Amino acid sequence: KYNQVYLSATLTATLRKFHDSLAVHLADDLLSEIRYLLHFAGFTKQQRLLSLMKLLGELYNDLVVDAHVVFDTLYTLLSAGTERTGPLPDPPQDCFRIRVVCTLLDTCGQHFDHGALRRRLDLFLAHFQRYVMGKERVPMDVEFSIADTFEELRPDWKRAESGEEADNLLIKLEGQSKATRARGLAALAVVRGPLGGPEGEGDDESDG
């Protein structure tokens, strides 16, 4: 049952102590099924997808999968398809993926509240906000779900009121993200030194 999904995640985390490969295989199968279900719109498959998204979030909470898996899945939900997934039809009047994103964020998003993970979530929320604004009409119950998710994760976030405002926020956050990565790469280059090893290592070899 949906409300007992966390038990499966807890069991997986426990069994992982004895079978290292179990978590890897489970995560691979889970992500493959999620990508498969995104191609369908039937009620049964949609309910299955919501349950799997809940499970993915609980697996992150139990340290079975890492943040990269979560964010990769979140961005896949906003895309029209990639080389890996193939085309993922997403009509402008269909708001189901919004529910799916909220389900995953409501399950594990509270952990992305500091440092690099906070910045990554901020950037995703900006993309999510722009995605929502691209829909023709968002039903009231879905809008409530969105509002609850933002209130829980970023209570001080002021949601954009226009596409231009949303785009400007995206440009700002993406610029900050690129600047942060550039600083990280520069710092790493200094630590590694000119030959890719620890700083000073290359000088010692050339002197000898």
Side-chain angles (χ1 to χ4, degrees):
K1 294 181 179 181
Y2 182 83
N3 291 331
Q4 297 177 336
V5 165
Y6 73 95
L7 295 175
S8 297
T10 301
L11 176 62
T12 301
T14 301
L15 293 176
R16 185 188 186 189
K17 300 175 183 177
F18 308 99
H19 304 282
D20 289 339
S21 63
L22 175 65
V24 176
H25 292 310
L26 175 62
D28 286 345
D29 290 345
L30 178 63
L31 294 175
S32 294
E33 185 170 1
I34 287 172
R35 290 191 290 268
Y36 168 77
L37 291 173
L38 283 173
H39 291 85
F40 301 96
F43 176 78
T44 301
K45 286 184 169 56
Q46 287 182 344
Q47 293 305 112
R48 172 69 173 171
L49 182 56
L50 288 173
S51 295
L52 291 180
M53 209 57 60
K54 173 78 170 175
L55 176 58
L56 177 60
E58 295 292 356
L59 288 172
Y60 177 80
N61 293 342
D62 285 332
L63 307 178
V64 177
V65 299
D66 61 21
H68 174 77
V69 173
V70 174
F71 280 102
D72 185 57
T73 302
L74 286 169
Y75 279 107
T76 296
L77 292 172
L78 302 191
S79 77
T82 64
E83 183 177 339
R84 180 176 56 182
T85 64
L88 297 175
D90 185 26
Q93 68 275 13
D94 187 350
C95 293
F96 177 69
R97 289 200 204 180
I98 297 176
R99 298 178 187 272
V100 178
V101 169
C102 288
T103 296
L104 182 51
L105 290 178
D106 291 346
T107 304
C108 64
Q110 69 273 14
H111 297 294
F112 308 137
D113 61 349
H114 61 278
L117 288 179
R118 182 180 183 88
R119 292 190 294 273
R120 288 184 71 179
L121 181 57
D122 284 347
L123 181 56
F124 173 78
L125 289 175
H127 280 283
F128 181 45
Q129 176 177 247
R130 192 66 186 88
Y131 170 85
V132 171
M133 297 182 77
K135 293 299 181 180
E136 291 180 354
R137 187 184 69 85
V138 179
M140 190 64 68
D141 60 324
V142 177
E143 180 57 44
F144 285 148
S145 295
I146 299 168
D148 288 345
T149 298
F150 273 85
E151 176 64 26
E152 178 66 26
L153 300 181
R154 296 293 184 269
D156 297 328
W157 185 293
K158 182 180 181 299
R159 289 175 60 189
E161 298 179 359
S162 68
E164 181 180 4
E165 188 178 344
D167 289 340
N168 288 338
L169 177 61
L170 261 177
I171 292 171
K172 175 184 175 182
L173 292 178
E174 286 178 342
Q176 292 175 350
S177 177
K178 290 177 181 178
T180 300
R181 286 198 298 270
R183 287 195 296 269
L185 290 173
L188 185 60
V190 170
V191 171
R192 286 181 172 177
L195 295 180
E199 187 174 16
E201 213 172 77
D203 293 338
D204 291 339
E205 292 177 355
S206 61
D207 290 340

